[in-house]
Amino acid sequence: MTDLSLPTVTEHPPPTPPACGKSDTFCIRLWQHMRLDSSGEARVCCAYQAPTIAQNGVPMNTDRHSLMEIWNSDEMRGLRRDMVEGRRVPACASCYTEEARGAVSLRMRDNIAWEQGWLNEEKATIEEMVALAVDNDFHLPKLPAMIEVETGNLCNLKCRMCHSVNSSLIAKDPVQRSWEANPNAGNINPSFQRSGRTFRRVGPIESLVDELAKETASRVRRLYFLGGEPFLVRELPILIERLVAAGRARQISLLFVSNGSVVPEWLALTEQFRRVDLTISVDGHGENYEYIRYPGRWADLAHNLEQFKQLTNIYMQVTTTIQANNVLHLTDLFRYLDSIGIGALSVGRCTAIPDSSPRSRPPDGLRRSRLPPGKSCAGAVIRRPDRCQQRRRRPQPAARLHAVHQRP
């Protein structure tokens, strides 16, 4: 069980829900979203700051439980009740913090999108969704519209701002793995770090086809795959083929988050799905890309982007992680994307690896002794990518690279 103090759902009188569309606690994700870890355990969402969903203190898992059992577990029902009754959920603190700063949180964004029709073909209002849950003691009769599936950490790159939970190559590298100084940042899993293991299994994919064939899955409209590198996972094309054979493809949209290093042949099958969104992670242009996403090659990526563009029914965008290694060169990437017709762009910020954070700076003494007057210290990180290329055989922490870049 999580460390949340969840109420016993059978002891509450039927609540009178507030206008949840305007509530500062309600989140539609408890009604339309499920996240499955590669272990087969489930989470409320990527921003939820608590352990996986548990029953009687034991984590629920797709090896032992159906998706409906997880979806309507006591913990999930308790969270829905709290939100409807106006109680803040401690593990949702990241959204509450953003809202307190005046930002639009994930919770607010999804609530608005739902009311505008996103994954909501029936045009159901939030109030209608809540009323249905209240009438059924917060059981929901169908699985959510979106299921997010983490495919493990199998990956062919070891990006400087990434970590062992998301890259099997980093997990095998004791030097780069040691950079993970803050196990609570991002979605780093402390138990995996301590275990010394290098590969995280792929659990839930194998059971998804059988689950999606059930009547309880009739409202599932979107499957979201992220890794690691999903296109390297052997179980994924099997799932895609079986969904096509079962006649479910036309009802379902797919979303893949990929590093763009491979273009699998089975991707042609996705033209039979309702829609396919492809998000490619690219953090630099040319040599800057090769420095950050070792051992990736810019020429290979550029070739693959053109191949992805030729596939039908695929809507491609690029996502970029702002970090110390690219913050001064982002315009080069943006101009390139404009030139090849990829205009959609989402941007995140590196928080998991402290030395790659855009807030990181050289030590004060180094800054004073090495930088010419008036020159920005941030420029020391990547102003000389040509010298970085000479040292690519072995990744180094960014703190050591400051000195490399500024040597005469």
Side-chain angles (χ1 to χ4, degrees), residues 9 48 65 101 111 123 132 139 160 196 252 254 314 360 372:
V9 295
Y48 191 71
H65 305 90
R101 295 171 177 169
N111 286 354
K123 306 298 182 184
L132 178 64
H139 282 92
R160 291 185 174 272
I252 294 176
L254 304 174
I314 287 185
S360 67

Side-chain angles (χ1 to χ4, degrees), residues 152-166:
N153 71 337
L154 178 63
C155 190
N156 54 355
L157 301 182
K158 43 184 180 179
C159 306
R160 291 185 174 272
M161 69 292 178
C162 196
H163 44 75
S164 58
V165 172
N166 285 344

Side-chain angles (χ1 to χ4, degrees), residues 27-317:
C27 180
I28 194 63
R29 289 204 163 205
L30 271 294
W31 274 254
Q32 58 83 270
H33 177 275
M34 174 187 285
R35 177 185 171 102
L36 300 176
D37 284 357
S38 63
S39 64
E41 297 176 2
R43 298 181 182 274
V44 173
C45 80
C46 61
Y48 191 71
Q49 299 174 336
T52 55
I53 298 167
Q55 190 82 351
N56 299 322
V58 179
M60 303 189 77
N61 193 293
T62 54
D63 292 339
R64 302 183 299 273
H65 305 90
S66 70
L67 292 186
M68 280 299 290
E69 288 174 328
I70 296 172
W71 185 234
N72 284 317
S73 64
D74 289 348
E75 183 172 346
M76 291 294 290
R77 292 164 58 210
L79 292 172
R80 292 182 191 121
R81 185 185 296 274
D82 282 349
M83 289 184 172
V84 167
E85 295 182 351
R87 290 188 290 272
R88 289 200 164 197
V89 176
C92 297
S94 61
C95 280
Y96 302 148
T97 299
E98 287 188 23
E99 293 162 17
R101 295 171 177 169
V104 177
S105 69
L106 188 64
R107 181 190 76 87
M108 296 170 64
R109 188 195 70 190
D110 281 7
N111 286 354
I112 294 170
W114 173 266
E115 292 188 316
Q116 293 177 347
W118 178 63
L119 298 179
N120 183 12
E121 296 174 352
E122 299 172 354
K123 306 298 182 184
T125 66
I126 287 178
E127 285 69 24
E128 291 171 342
M129 298 284 289
V130 168
L132 178 64
V134 171
D135 290 344
N136 291 279
D137 197 21
F138 292 91
H139 282 92
L140 299 180
K142 305 282 187 179
L143 287 173
M146 182 165 76
I147 299 178
E148 179 179 340
V149 182
E150 188 205 20
T151 62
N153 71 337
L154 178 63
C155 190
N156 54 355
L157 301 182
K158 43 184 180 179
C159 306
R160 291 185 174 272
M161 69 292 178
C162 196
H163 44 75
S164 58
V165 172
N166 285 344
S167 171
S168 53
L169 285 189
I170 292 176
K172 295 175 183 178
D173 185 336
V175 173
Q176 189 161 349
R177 193 165 183 169
S178 70
W179 301 355
E180 299 169 7
N182 182 5
N184 297 314
N187 61 350
I188 291 181
N189 186 323
S191 63
F192 177 78
Q193 288 184 304
R194 291 192 297 268
S195 70
R197 292 181 288 118
T198 61
F199 182 74
R200 292 193 301 138
R201 56 161 283 196
V202 180
I205 293 181
E206 299 171 359
S207 62
L208 264 181
V209 171
D210 294 334
E211 291 277 3
L212 294 175
K214 300 176 182 178
E215 172 59 25
T216 52
S218 61
R219 288 185 179 171
V220 175
R221 291 292 179 266
R222 190 168 179 85
L223 298 177
Y224 171 14
F225 300 96
L226 68 163
E229 174 47 52
F231 289 162
L232 296 177
V233 176
R234 290 177 293 181
E235 292 84 354
L236 193 51
I238 298 173
L239 171 64
I240 299 301
E241 291 170 358
R242 292 183 65 185
L243 287 174
V244 171
R248 290 284 278 136
R250 289 299 178 191
Q251 303 166 357
I252 294 176
S253 299
L254 304 174
L255 169 59
F256 301 101
V257 178
S258 168
N259 62 30
S261 62
V262 291
V263 184
E265 293 182 2
W266 59 261
L267 202 57
L269 284 174
T270 59
E271 66 181 12
Q272 301 184 56
F273 284 76
R274 185 175 184 177
R275 175 187 171 110
V276 180
D277 290 289
L278 177 59
T279 298
I280 306 295
S281 299
V282 185
D283 302 298
H285 177 270
E287 289 183 335
N288 189 217
Y289 166 85
E290 294 182 350
Y291 172 66
I292 295 172
R293 289 192 163 260
Y294 179 83
R297 297 292 182 179
W298 175 255
D300 295 338
L301 175 70
H303 174 74
N304 290 348
L305 291 178
E306 291 299 327
Q307 285 194 285
F308 287 130
K309 288 171 61 179
Q310 301 305 315
L311 296 172
T312 59
N313 197 38
I314 287 185
Y315 301 84
M316 184 170 53
Q317 70 168 357

